[in-house]
Amino acid sequence: MNSPLLTAPGAVAPFDGNPDQGVPWHFGDPFAEQRSAVRSAVVVDRSNRAVLAVSGDDRLTWLHSLTSQHFEALGEDRATEMLILDVQGRVEHHAAAANVGGAVYLDTGSERAGDLLGYLTKMVFWSKVEVRDASADLALLTVLGPEAAGVLAAVGVTAPDAPHGVVALEGGGFARRASWPGGHAVDLLVPRSELADRWGRLTGAGARPAGSWAFEALRVESLRPRLGVDTDEKTIPHEANWIDEAVHLDKGCYRGQETVSKVHNVGRPPRRLLLLHLDGSREVQPETGDPVLVDDRVVGRVGTVALHHELGTVALALVKRSVPPETELLVGAEDRRVQAAVDPDSVPPDTPGLGRQAARNLGR
């Protein structure tokens, strides 16, 4: 569904093919919007995300059994992230979760929300759980920047003190402190019927309107993946920086757990999510799904490509772990191929564990 904010003053709609259809792409100056998100405060319309609600007495134990996250330890007014994996440990679904007011709310990309709802509904069986699509009831706004708490206070919202804290909002919905992008992000799940009014109050309190362009650029800088854009059908959690936020390594059995445990404790992920600096001198740039190459050999896949206010043209890419970070890369299909370099700060440390050879030795 299209956001009413597409008709807000200065709003520019996304181009065809942009994954953020239905919400403003920018408000005339996307680089200034990014700078404001770093220096003061902005509000971003993310109401194109779907929201599912899981209620019932068994909601936490039921979600615990189905997902990568330790929901049994998730307290009231707390938030987290979760994955649903297939039997090989490959990521099928990702969602942000908040346990508040007797329900767990899952917000996720709208393109896969129907499949997630169908899967969860199919898995209810005898559990005391009800799953429903709450997208018509709640819409997501995100306030970013070091002045976010002051803006929220001006409209009567107390920002949670620490990441993953949740506060119920007067009139419905809740505020959720996020761990990214930056250190001051707060997600507001507000009644969808009040979306334009809440936006007006936030901008009136000093938050600059910002579009999905700014949010995506900051997400890329934060090395946070977007399912289906920065991942493919083979992606496992270790490859996409989801272990810390969305996977609990000490919980009980769930589908795909064997792969998660094996890669964490014994081996290394075959690929890793890296930030690439692209040659921005060409008019054309790589697109999502394009290859990453060393000479003529494909060694990876391009995810999100973004124009960042400081970093220039950058991209997230899944690249084979065997490729040294200092390797000169070529990125893109033949008609839009550019040179690229790995940002060394984006290279994750090796997964702790025994290592393959040590594991083989132990098995002798």
Side-chain angles (χ1 to χ4, degrees):
M1 61 187 75
N2 286 340
S3 169
L5 299 175
L6 280 171
T7 60
V12 176
F15 58 88
D16 291 343
N18 185 292
D20 281 309
Q21 298 297 313
V23 295
W25 186 33
H26 63 83
F27 289 84
D29 193 340
F31 293 140
E33 293 165 25
Q34 293 179 45
R35 288 191 290 270
S36 293
V38 174
R39 300 171 184 172
S40 54
V42 302
V43 56
V44 182
D45 179 7
R46 301 176 65 209
S47 61
N48 56 334
R49 284 180 67 81
V51 182
L52 308 182
V54 182
S55 58
D57 293 343
D58 295 340
R59 66 188 184 280
L60 295 178
T61 55
W62 180 73
L63 285 168
H64 184 91
S65 69
L66 295 177
T67 75
S68 61
Q69 194 52 265
H70 200 308
F71 275 95
E72 289 182 350
L74 186 66
E76 183 72 14
D77 297 332
R78 297 294 297 169
T80 188
E81 296 181 26
M82 52 150 267
L83 303 173
I84 290 178
L85 311 178
D86 69 9
V87 292
Q88 285 81 35
R90 297 172 295 201
V91 180
E92 290 189 338
H93 298 286
H94 169 264
N99 182 30
V100 56
V104 175
Y105 293 93
L106 308 174
D107 62 275
T108 188
S110 58
E111 63 279 358
R112 300 198 182 192
D115 290 341
L116 177 57
L117 177 62
Y119 172 76
L120 293 176
T121 301
K122 182 177 66 176
M123 298 302 293
V124 170
F125 300 120
W126 57 83
S127 299
K128 295 179 181 178
V129 170
E130 180 182 349
V131 186
R132 66 181 181 89
D133 187 346
S135 303
D137 302 327
L138 294 171
L140 175 60
L141 297 173
T142 297
V143 182
L144 304 173
E147 297 178 8
V151 167
L152 292 169
V155 298
V157 175
T158 301
D161 292 335
H164 310 303
V166 178
V167 174
L169 298 178
E170 184 177 352
F174 57 90
R176 176 183 62 208
R177 180 75 176 271
S179 60
W180 61 273
H184 309 278
V186 178
D187 293 328
L188 302 177
L189 275 292
V190 302
R192 188 169 289 274
S193 60
E194 299 178 12
L195 180 64
D197 176 68
R198 300 286 184 123
W199 175 274
R201 291 168 59 189
L202 290 164
T203 56
R208 179 175 188 149
S212 61
W213 178 336
F215 185 88
E216 289 293 280
L218 297 173
R219 176 181 65 79
V220 168
E221 181 187 16
S222 300
L223 299 175
R224 296 296 179 174
R226 182 169 179 168
L227 187 66
V229 178
D230 302 302
T231 66
D232 58 18
E233 70 281 358
K234 297 179 181 180
T235 302
I236 61 175
H238 314 71
E239 296 178 323
N241 296 338
W242 269 322
I243 291 296
D244 290 341
E245 291 281 348
V247 176
H248 197 288
L249 293 168
D250 298 324
K251 62 164 287 186
C253 184
Y254 60 95
R255 190 174 71 177
Q257 182 199 17
E258 182 178 355
T259 296
V260 171
S261 179
K262 180 179 179 180
V263 174
H264 181 75
N265 293 316
V266 178
R268 302 288 188 267
R271 300 177 295 179
R272 48 193 179 187
L273 188 71
L274 301 175
L275 179 67
L276 305 184
H277 295 271
L278 307 184
D279 177 4
S281 62
R282 294 193 61 190
E283 292 184 2
V284 295
Q285 289 295 331
E287 297 178 0
T288 298
D290 278 354
V292 178
L293 303 104
V294 175
D295 298 323
D296 294 326
R297 178 169 58 97
V298 176
V299 297
R301 174 193 180 277
V302 176
T304 305
V305 180
L307 289 175
H308 189 278
H309 71 109
E310 287 184 340
L311 302 178
T313 307
V314 292
L316 291 178
L318 283 172
V319 180
K320 288 183 178 180
R321 186 180 172 276
S322 58
V323 177
E326 64 274 13
T327 304
E328 294 184 3
L329 304 173
L330 293 174
V331 177
E334 288 188 8
D335 58 341
R336 50 178 180 266
R337 190 161 294 169
V338 300
Q339 292 181 314
V342 174
D343 187 318
D345 291 336
S346 73
V347 180
D350 283 341
T351 304
L354 298 173
R356 286 190 176 90
Q357 189 57 50
R360 293 191 190 102
N361 293 340
L362 283 175
R364 289 175 180 172

